[in-house]
Amino acid sequence: MAKDSSFDVVSQVDLQEVINGITMALKEIRNRYDFKGSKSDISVDKEELVLISDDEFKLEQLKDVMVSKLIKRGVPTKNIEYGKVENASGGTVRQRGKLIQGIDKENAKKINNLIKKSGLKVKSQIQDDQLRVSAKSRDDLQQVIAAIKEADLSIDVQFINYR
């Protein structure tokens, strides 16, 4: 009898790629004419992005540049949860963006229900901040992956440990 095949559904952000993307965004900002003399900056504090700029308009432009560079680096931008814009020192504004690592309980339940509704002969179990999906047939696993990719989730998910 064939052994079960399985894969893990995870939500991860590669911190090194985030740092590389921010470095590229800062280079572009320093060379752009509309940012000349501006106090715009992006920094990483543990698993949190800190964006600082002169006003809310420039902050949005800063965010657009950063997001475009992160997308080019393959970083899932759905996994950045922005806080509210707050006033900072020197007449600037600041916004924090938390990098979401792992699948929270709500999204894990949503994915689990999606798998159950598919009607395929697969087993799924929640393990901390990831999901393990296993089945006898690899074709069923491929259909589960396709269904999860089509689902409208609030986070970006990856599929690892496909055996």
Side-chain angles (χ1 to χ4, degrees), residues 21-130:
I22 288 173
T23 303
M24 291 171 61
L26 286 173
K27 279 183 185 178
E28 181 175 324
I29 287 166
R30 285 184 177 59
N31 292 330
R32 277 181 49 167
Y33 179 75
D34 55 340
F35 279 100
K36 290 284 187 224
S38 170
K39 298 175 186 170
S40 299
D41 189 37
I42 308 170
S43 60
V44 180
D45 181 31
K46 296 179 185 157
E47 289 193 2
E48 192 172 66
L49 303 174
V50 180
L51 293 92
I52 298 174
S53 195
D54 296 335
D55 53 45
E56 287 189 38
F57 179 72
K58 276 213 168 89
L59 187 70
E60 286 301 315
Q61 287 182 317
L62 181 69
K63 200 186 310 182
D64 287 344
V65 170
M66 180 191 72
V67 166
S68 71
K69 298 302 178 189
L70 291 177
I71 288 172
K72 284 182 182 177
R73 306 287 311 174
V75 175
T77 55
K78 266 185 166 180
N79 288 16
I80 302 173
E81 190 176 276
Y82 295 104
K84 64 181 177 79
V85 177
E86 52 195 41
N87 292 326
S89 62
T92 60
V93 291
R94 172 182 28 212
Q95 187 174 26
R96 296 181 183 276
K98 184 176 181 247
L99 295 172
I100 300 171
Q101 298 276 23
I103 301 174
D104 60 332
K105 295 244 186 275
E106 180 182 317
N107 280 312
K109 287 180 183 176
K110 191 186 275 188
I111 294 170
N112 220 356
N113 288 336
L114 180 82
I115 293 169
K116 282 186 172 71
K117 287 179 184 175
S118 69
L120 299 167
K121 291 185 176 181
V122 296
K123 291 180 273 182
S124 62
Q125 59 194 62
I126 301 172
Q127 300 176 337
D128 294 331
D129 59 352
Q130 66 182 21

Side-chain angles (χ1 to χ4, degrees), residues 11-28:
S11 180
Q12 299 173 332
V13 177
D14 185 1
L15 212 52
Q16 187 58 50
E17 287 300 327
V18 170
I19 292 169
N20 292 343
I22 288 173
T23 303
M24 291 171 61
L26 286 173
K27 279 183 185 178
E28 181 175 324

